[in-house]
Amino acid sequence: MRRRDFIKVIAGSMAVCSLAARAQQRPQLPTIGFLGANNATFARSSIDAFVQRLRELGWIENQTVAIEYRWAEGREERFAEIAAEFIRLKVDVILPGLVTRSAPALSPH
């Protein structure tokens, strides 16, 4: 093998190794699937409190833990769809948001 050919092979190998190293993804973060009964606007204070408590425990969103938020928009039939999506995404934990009902629905009459 001639010297030029040898240098071309080495340079090509280095380029391929460099591209392969860049293609490797960061390790997958542990993921929480947050299943909200209503919508993000309705649950904002609860979400903020949840994320703050995670931070206090050392879990920082998008740095040490990922959170996938999904909203049922008040439609109970969406719970199964969202749970199936979380299973496909392979989240580590599914956290159901609080199910709230309006005051008239809770009244005994």
Side-chain angles (χ1 to χ4, degrees):
M1 182 181 275
R2 295 186 338 209
R3 182 176 175 188
R4 287 184 190 176
D5 292 336
F6 179 76
I7 291 171
K8 287 179 187 177
V9 168
I10 296 299
S13 297
M14 291 174 68
V16 168
C17 289
S18 175
L19 290 174
R22 283 188 213 156
Q24 291 180 354
Q25 297 177 358
R26 289 185 287 164
Q28 181 86 15
L29 294 175
T31 304
I32 298 169
F34 186 95
L35 196 167
N38 294 301
N39 59 47
T41 303
F42 186 83
R44 177 56 41 208
S45 63
S46 296
I47 293 168
D48 291 345
F50 172 67
V51 171
Q52 177 60 36
R53 184 62 181 140
L54 283 176
R55 182 177 286 279
E56 291 167 3
L57 294 170
W59 295 97
I60 301 167
E61 189 172 9
N62 298 323
Q63 291 182 17
T64 58
V65 66
I67 305 174
E68 292 286 337
Y69 297 95
R70 299 293 184 276
W71 306 101
E73 301 290 338
R75 298 186 347 236
E76 290 184 19
E77 67 274 8
R78 292 269 300 134
F79 287 116
E81 296 168 16
I82 295 169
E85 180 181 359
F86 283 154
I87 291 168
R88 281 192 303 277
L89 291 172
K90 297 182 180 177
V91 301
D92 297 293
V93 174
I94 297 176
L95 176 67
L98 297 175
V99 177
T100 58
R101 298 185 188 266
S102 64
L106 295 175
S107 72
H109 301 284

